[in-house]
Amino acid sequence: MTAGTPEPVAGSPDPAAPPPPSVYNVANLLTLLRIALVPLFVWLLVQDGLGWRLGAFAVFAVASVTDKIDGDLARKYGLVTDFGKIADPIADKALTGAALVTLSALGELWWWVTIVIMVREIGITLLRFVVIRYGVIPASKGGKLKTMLQVLAIAAMLLPGPLDPVRWTLMAAAVVVTTVTGLDYVLQAWRMRRAARV
């Protein structure tokens, strides 16, 4: 260190480090857009007519694509923020939850399917907060597969036409993977807590 240059105070931010990303970035805006599309999607879904149903499918598809895009942008350009970490999973669960509940309310999906998926999603989210003092439960490949299957199953349920074998096969796969990955997260949380107490 050169003479006359003050030494950094312990705990102070590194002046050479890049500034944290602004919360007002494109990734977070896409997340907010996904949340904003949820009521529009539900409104379109409860309308009668083929055109409305196709509109609901289109909105769901656009909202689902933004989930992929905002995550890629955040990682690629260093736009990950605390707000995004919280808002992104909320947006995902709001979209899939609204779709499942509305489809069940319309009599197109068994309520037990919606309940199983929603209990798992909400339960694991709460579990992450409970064990955060011991560590973070990372997203697994199974969790990513679960999300993909849920989106594909819901999309198939939204599309009109004779697609019943495809719809129910995808939904059955989504329920199985959702349940199995949920149990895996519970096991990880139990092991993490047990290790922290040893």
Side-chain angles (χ1 to χ4, degrees):
M1 183 173 294
T2 59
T5 303
E7 293 188 9
V9 179
S12 62
D14 183 359
S22 169
V23 69
Y24 302 104
N25 62 60
V26 65
N28 287 343
L29 290 177
L30 286 173
T31 298
L32 292 175
L33 172 63
R34 190 156 72 257
I35 295 174
L37 287 175
V38 171
L40 173 61
F41 162 71
V42 171
W43 182 78
L44 289 170
L45 186 54
V46 299
Q47 306 303 312
D48 289 326
L50 177 61
W52 297 108
R53 189 60 173 243
L54 292 176
F57 172 81
V59 171
F60 180 81
V62 169
S64 299
V65 169
T66 65
D67 180 34
K68 169 68 174 172
I69 295 174
D70 65 17
D72 289 345
L73 288 174
R75 287 184 291 270
K76 183 175 181 180
Y77 296 104
L79 301 176
V80 178
T81 63
D82 290 339
F83 172 80
K85 292 177 183 178
I86 297 172
D88 187 68
I90 290 175
D92 297 342
K93 289 170 179 55
L95 180 63
T96 56
L100 293 169
V101 169
T102 306
L103 286 168
S104 292
L106 292 173
E108 300 181 26
L109 179 65
W110 293 311
W111 273 108
W112 71 263
V113 171
T114 295
I115 292 171
V116 166
I117 292 177
M118 293 307 299
V119 166
R120 185 273 189 201
E121 296 295 339
I122 296 172
I124 295 303
T125 299
L126 294 176
L127 181 64
R128 287 178 184 273
F129 283 109
V130 170
V131 302
I132 198 168
R133 71 181 73 175
Y134 307 115
V136 176
I137 303 176
S140 64
K141 291 182 179 179
K144 294 176 182 178
L145 175 62
K146 176 268 303 180
T147 300
M148 181 185 71
L149 285 173
Q150 287 182 4
V151 169
L152 291 176
I154 291 171
M157 296 291 295
L158 294 173
L159 278 175
L163 298 172
D164 281 351
V166 175
R167 291 187 184 103
W168 296 114
T169 299
L170 286 172
M171 189 59 73
V175 170
V176 170
V177 175
T178 297
T179 303
V180 171
T181 55
L183 294 174
D184 180 61
Y185 280 129
V186 170
L187 182 59
Q188 287 187 58
W190 178 77
R191 287 174 176 169
M192 188 180 296
R193 185 176 181 182
R194 184 180 179 185
R197 291 186 170 184
V198 172

